[in-house]
Amino acid sequence: MIPVAFDYTKPSTVDEAVQALIAGGEDAKVISGGQSLMPVLRLRMAAPSVLVDVGGIAEMNGVSDDGDHLLIGSNTTHHDVMNNALVKQHAGLLAMTAATVADPQIRHRGTLGGSLAHADPAGDLPTAALALECVMVAQGPKGRREIAAKDFFVDYFTSALESDEVLVAIKVPKMGDGWGYHYEKFNRTAQAWATVGVAAAVKRQNGTITEARVALTNMGPSPIRASSVESALAGASASADAIAAASTSAADGTRPTSDLHATAEFREHLARVLTKRAVAQAAGV
Amino acid sequence: MTSLYEEIPAAPPADVPTRRVTITVNGDRRTLDIEPRLLLSHLIRQGLQLTGTHMGCDTTGCGTCTVLLNGRPVKSCTVLAVQADGREVETVEGLSSAQQLHPLQEGFKQEHGLQCGYCTPGMMMAAKALLERNPNPTEDEVRWALSGNICRCTGYQNIVKAVLWAADKMREQEG
């Protein structure tokens, strides 16, 4: 299919991009790699009047070390995220999760910022961002603001970004010593959208789990932390039995839908099984 | 009735706003006035008449429209042609010279790496990018590199063999 006609502008700074969004009003849309937006445009599920291509904004590309966190420009592709030495060293969960997104072609174009802003409940990277407690840096007419991951994913395909805001960068807190991580996903092979996914990060000390973070993909309108699993794991022994016991509450408080890939009941089952696997891998059990 | 694809004219009507882009396709620098909504795959097939690049699924799933954009495989049905401005595009037509097949093309022939052939251009472009980065891939690495390309005929075995055959041949030629 062919998208509905639109105007196109390619600003070279974030300020210019915000101006273009203000001028374009609510029908303006940001594009970068376009791997989520293009299919939507082609199916004519969206018909923006103008596309603001932020792909040429140098400031929004690349990974830098910023003290206790990494600063990843929104335009950084999944391919670059998963192969970046700093990300692998300090935020391995993000690199590992990026490697499960779609396929090589899409990872060469699709961007971290685009994937987060798209807020697809079946998207993998929002879940990793939630588990890593990332902070989104957005710029709009009133300047820059920071949005915690837990407040960023609002609803189905809805982020906290305003229509005249650009997601500029993502702050990713460095995982210190003692942390292990794993992203476990159940999906159909083609296209690789998660039926359910689980991101786990676990801190171990002398055979005990001191802190655990567990976030779930596609168990509701937006990624969600499995807080009852997290509290059951805190202070538990890093053993298969303790992890299995804690994982039984993985679906508590979730709101999965039934669709052609899985029923809600099956998704709840998957959440429990995948949580057990992800936490065990993360804890090195 | 013509399909939607065929309605894309080689040159847009005079009253439609266009953007001027310069794209290098298989080494030829082309300057074109295009509509912003034109897909790179439509530019390649309709605008430039390079019909070796196929379109299969229209949902970013099948990979037969794969071309190299600045050396990296991308799905050309999911890239706006305006976004290729200033970049280099390589299509399956860029593989062979008039006299000689590319080792990948030879490999697909030798190992019977196709049946209907619809997915083949995308397979070969994804494989080309792999072999440029990794001249001696394992079977597993070949499979991962082709994981964005779907074939409904072969069961993939002979496609993987064809790529490994080409890798051997290219290393021989280098060595």
Side-chain angles (χ1 to χ4, degrees), chain A:
Chain A
M1 292 265 296
I2 296 165
V4 174
F6 48 77
D7 202 359
Y8 172 87
T9 178
K10 192 170 184 186
S12 52
T13 65
V14 180
D15 285 341
E16 286 172 19
V18 172
Q19 288 309 314
L21 287 173
I22 295 168
E26 294 230 326
D27 287 339
K29 193 88 181 140
V30 173
I31 189 168
S32 180
Q35 300 301 286
S36 298
L37 183 59
M38 290 287 301
V40 171
L41 295 180
R42 270 188 340 220
L43 294 168
R44 300 198 169 196
M45 289 159 68
S49 57
V50 56
L51 286 190
V52 178
D53 186 348
V54 296
I57 302 176
E59 181 198 343
M60 288 173 57
N61 202 7
V63 181
S64 57
D65 191 324
D66 202 18
D68 61 355
H69 61 266
L70 301 178
L71 195 63
I72 305 184
S74 295
N75 283 338
T76 312
T77 63
H78 307 314
H79 177 85
D80 289 345
V81 167
M82 66 190 258
N83 289 300
N84 182 278
L86 283 172
V87 178
K88 285 199 276 194
Q89 184 187 347
H90 297 294
L93 178 62
L94 192 67
M96 181 183 202
T97 307
T100 77
V101 173
D103 55 50
Q105 286 93 323
I106 288 170
R107 293 194 294 268
H108 287 141
R109 287 289 297 166
T111 65
L112 177 60
S115 181
L116 299 177
H118 188 55
D120 186 335
D124 305 296
L125 290 162
T127 309
L130 188 67
L132 288 166
E133 300 183 346
C134 294
V135 175
M136 317 305 165
V137 182
Q139 184 172 327
K142 285 176 278 185
R144 292 206 173 184
R145 65 176 177 132
E146 298 193 346
I147 311 162
K150 68 179 170 56
D151 302 319
F152 187 78
F153 305 105
V154 176
D155 206 341
Y156 291 104
F157 299 99
T158 307
S159 77
L161 291 172
E162 300 292 339
S163 62
D164 52 9
E165 280 185 311
V166 177
L167 178 57
V168 177
I170 298 94
K171 286 183 171 179
V172 186
K174 290 180 183 172
M175 297 180 91
D177 293 339
W179 283 90
Y181 58 85
H182 190 75
Y183 186 67
E184 183 80 16
K185 145 162 132 172
F186 186 89
N187 60 279
R188 294 194 313 160
T189 303
Q191 305 197 347
W193 268 298
T195 304
V196 173
V198 178
V202 173
K203 193 171 190 183
R204 267 186 69 158
Q205 201 170 27
N206 303 326
T208 300
I209 295 172
T210 55
E211 190 182 344
R213 299 198 202 143
V214 179
L216 311 173
T217 305
N218 218 3
M219 288 299 289
S222 43
I224 182 173
R225 291 276 286 267
S227 45
S228 52
V229 178
E230 294 179 352
S231 27
L233 287 171
S237 74
S239 69
D241 286 349
I243 291 167
S247 301
T248 56
S249 60
D252 293 4
T254 61
R255 289 188 290 144
T257 54
S258 293
D259 58 25
L260 80 167
H261 303 302
T263 61
E265 193 186 10
F266 181 45
R267 283 204 161 89
E268 288 173 0
H269 170 75
L270 284 173
R272 291 186 284 267
V273 172
L274 302 180
T275 295
K276 186 171 69 178
R277 290 181 191 165
V279 172
Q281 284 279 339
V285 173

Side-chain angles (χ1 to χ4, degrees), chain B residues 17-38:
Chain B
T18 58
R19 288 284 180 287
R20 177 154 294 181
V21 295
T22 299
I23 305 174
T24 302
V25 182
N26 298 332
D28 291 337
R29 221 169 115 92
R30 309 289 295 258
T31 298
L32 304 141
D33 293 316
I34 58 169
E35 270 195 86
R37 63 168 163 171
L38 185 69

